[in-house]
Amino acid sequence: MRIVYTNRRDGEKCVHLEIEAHEVAALVDGDPDHTARLGALLAEADRRLNPGRAAGEGAGE
């Protein structure tokens, strides 16, 4: 599971994650380690896409 890339050009904000099949299965099964890893990746994506936003604030569009 990893961030492939983050795009912030021309007002387009998106992150592309790569999640392998076994990781998807673990997430669906509620595996706490995989869930924590996904949460950490999403937090990193948020930092990249919304610099200066305090954690917990709504990012909006």
Side-chain angles (χ1 to χ4, degrees):
M1 192 176 330
R2 68 187 181 101
I3 294 176
V4 178
Y5 70 90
T6 307
N7 182 1
R8 292 184 57 220
R9 68 174 175 233
D10 298 327
E12 178 184 330
K13 290 183 173 185
C14 61
V15 65
H16 294 255
L17 300 176
E18 182 175 86
I19 304 173
E20 295 181 17
H22 74 277
E23 295 167 324
V24 171
L27 288 164
V28 169
D29 290 343
D31 178 82
D33 293 332
H34 283 81
T35 301
R37 177 70 179 135
L38 179 60
L41 284 175
L42 292 174
E44 174 60 25
D46 185 41
R47 283 190 290 277
R48 293 181 189 190
L49 293 171
N50 302 297
R53 185 181 84 80
E57 287 181 4
E61 287 285 321

